C-alpha cells in the first residue's frame, strides 16, 4: 500500500463526506478510494469511518487520525514548497498575517488579481491585529503598521507609509466644540485603540513643539473599525489611519481636525512593513506578495 496516497484519499473522503465525492475531486474511481481507505484501516487495525448505506461518519479514532494526517500532508506540501520556492514562478501555499481592517479594505479587493497572475500560488490569509510569532505560528510573511522590527532574527521590508488623522463626526463637534489645539482634547471623549499597555498617549508634532497627551475616554477597542463606527455615531474623537477614514472625511461623515499636526500613538511610526524570517530570503512566494503589496500601496 502507498501510505501517502492512502492518507490523501482518507483525508479527502472525510473532507468531502464520502467516497464518491472524494473520488470525483481526486479524478479517480470510487473503488480506488474505497480500497485505499480499507487498506489503511486494515494496517492500523482500527475503524476510521462508520459506514451505512446512506451515510458516512468519522469514528473517534478516525477524527484523531484525520487531524494528524492533515498535519503530515501540510508538512510535506511545505517541504516541497521550500525546495521549489526559489524559481521564477511562485508555487505552493503562502501563509500571511495582516491587520484586520487593512486586510479587509486594502488587500482583499485585489487578491483576485494576484491569484490570476500566479496560478501555482495558494494564499492562506490570517487577519489579526496582534503581532504574530512567525516561527511558532508558521507564518511566512506578516504585514505590520506603525512598528518596525530591528532584529537579526527578522527581515523587515518597508512597503510604504501612511498617516494617522484625528477625526470626529460633525454632530459631535457641533455639540462639544472644535478642538483648536491638541490640549483641547483633554476635555473631549477620546475613542482609543487598546494596546494593552495601559498608556494612551497621543503625540502631536508641530513646527515648533512636540506635545504628548494622555488622552481619556470611555471607549477603547483593539479593532480600528469599532472606533470608526463609534466616531461616526458621534461618540467622540478618535485617531485612525488615513486609509480607513479618508472616504468618510471626503463624504463629510467625519471631520479631520488638527490637520497642522503630525500625530501618532506614543512613539509609533508611520511605516508599513513586511516581516519574514531570514531563511525565507529569495522566496518566490514572499517576493510576489511583497511586490503585489507595493503595487497596491503606490499612490
Amino acid at each position: 500500500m502507498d501510505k501517502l496516497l492512502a492518507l490523501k484519499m482518507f483525508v479527502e473522503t472525510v473532507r468531502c463526506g464520502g467516497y464518491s465525492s472524494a473520488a470525483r475531486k481526486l479524478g479517480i474511481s470510487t473503488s480506488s478510494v474505497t480500497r485505499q481507505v480499507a487498506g489503511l484501516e486494515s494496517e492500523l487495525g482500527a475503524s476510521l469511518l462508520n459506514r451505512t448505506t446512506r451515510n458516512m461518519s468519522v469514528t473517534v479514532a478516525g477524527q484523531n487520525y484525520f487531524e494528524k494526517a492533515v498535519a503530515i500532508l501540510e508538512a510535506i506540501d511545505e517541504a516541497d514548497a521550500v525546495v521549489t520556492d526559489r524559481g521564477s514562478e511562485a508555487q505552493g501555499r503562502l501563509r500571511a498575517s495582516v491587520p484586520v481592517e487593512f486586510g479587509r479594505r486594502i488587500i482583499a479587493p485585489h487578491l483576485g488579481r494576484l491569484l490570476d497572475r500566479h496560478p501555482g500560488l495558494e494564499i492562506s490569509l490570517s487577519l489579526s491585529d496582534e503581532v504574530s510569532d512567525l516561527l511558532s505560528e508558521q507564518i511566512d510573511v506578516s504585514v505590520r503598521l506603525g512598528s518596525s522590527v530591528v532584529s537579526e532574527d527578522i527581515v523587515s521590508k518597508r512597503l510604504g507609509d501612511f498617516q494617522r488623522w484625528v477625526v470626529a463626526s460633525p454632530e459631535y463637534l457641533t455639540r462639544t466644540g472644535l478642538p483648536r489645539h491638541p490640549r483641547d482634547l483633554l476635555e473631549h471623549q477620546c475613542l482609543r485603540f487598546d494596546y494593552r499597555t495601559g498608556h494612551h498617549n497621543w503625540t502631536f508634532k508641530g513646527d515648533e513643539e512636540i506635545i504628548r497627551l494622555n488622552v481619556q475616554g470611555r471607549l477603547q477597542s483593539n479593532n480600528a473599525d469599532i472606533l470608526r463606527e463609534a466616531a461616526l455615531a458621534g461618540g467622540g474623537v478618535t485617531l485612525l489611519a488615513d486609509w480607513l477614514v479618508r472616504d468618510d472625511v471626503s463624504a463629510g461623515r467625519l471631520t479631520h481636525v488638527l490637520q497642522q499636526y503630525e500625530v501618532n500613538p506614543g512613539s509609533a511610526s508611520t511605516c508599513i512593513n513586511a516581516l519574514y524570517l531570514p531563511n525565507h530570503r529569495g522566496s518566490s512566494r514572499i517576493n510576489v506578495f511583497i511586490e503585489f503589496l507595493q503595487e497596491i500601496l503606490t499612490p
Side-chain angles (χ1 to χ4, degrees), residues 122-183:
E122 298 178 28
I123 297 176
S124 176
L125 193 67
S126 173
L127 302 183
S128 174
D129 289 325
E130 302 295 329
V131 177
S132 302
D133 186 316
L134 300 179
L135 187 59
S136 66
E137 297 179 41
Q138 295 183 315
I139 299 295
D140 296 313
V141 59
S142 173
V143 176
R144 292 294 103 193
L145 309 181
S147 59
S148 57
V149 176
V150 180
S151 168
E152 294 181 355
D153 299 326
I154 299 291
V155 178
S156 179
K157 175 74 173 179
R158 188 165 180 164
L159 303 174
D161 296 275
F162 68 103
Q163 295 179 335
R164 292 185 178 89
W165 291 356
V166 179
V167 295
S169 71
E171 293 77 12
Y172 173 84
L173 295 173
T174 298
R175 198 167 68 242
T176 63
L178 186 73
R180 305 286 183 182
H181 188 275
R183 292 190 181 88

Side-chain angles (χ1 to χ4, degrees), residues 4 34 36 44 49 53 85 104 116 128 144 151 180 189 203 211 230 251 261-262 293:
L4 181 58
T34 305
Q36 288 288 340
L44 294 170
L49 303 173
T53 55
D85 195 28
R104 290 180 59 244
D116 284 343
S128 174
R144 292 294 103 193
S151 168
R180 305 286 183 182
Q189 283 291 325
T203 302
I211 302 168
Y261 293 90
E262 177 186 333
L293 292 175

Side-chain angles (χ1 to χ4, degrees), residues 4 38 46 58 60 66 70 93 96 106 115 123 126 158 175 180 187 196 207 218 221 236 249 252 256 267 292 294:
L4 181 58
V58 186
V60 173
F66 170 77
V70 168
R93 179 180 298 176
I106 304 300
L115 293 171
I123 297 176
S126 173
R158 188 165 180 164
R175 198 167 68 242
R180 305 286 183 182
E187 306 301 322
R196 299 186 180 180
D207 293 335
R218 295 162 55 208
S221 174
V249 171
H256 182 190
S267 59
F292 158 73
Q294 290 174 325

Side-chain angles (χ1 to χ4, degrees), residues 33 89 203:
V33 177
E89 179 53 47
T203 302

Side-chain angles (χ1 to χ4, degrees), residues 56-77:
M56 186 211 78
S57 62
V58 186
T59 66
V60 173
Q63 181 61 38
N64 292 331
Y65 196 74
F66 170 77
E67 293 171 1
K68 299 294 185 183
V70 168
I72 290 169
L73 293 175
E74 288 183 347
I76 292 173
D77 288 342

Side-chain angles (χ1 to χ4, degrees), residues 1 3 6-7 10 36-45 48 65:
M1 180 182 62
K3 187 67 167 286
L7 285 178
F10 168 66
Q36 288 288 340
V37 174
L40 192 59
E41 290 180 313
S42 177
E43 180 181 293
L44 294 170
L48 301 176
Y65 196 74

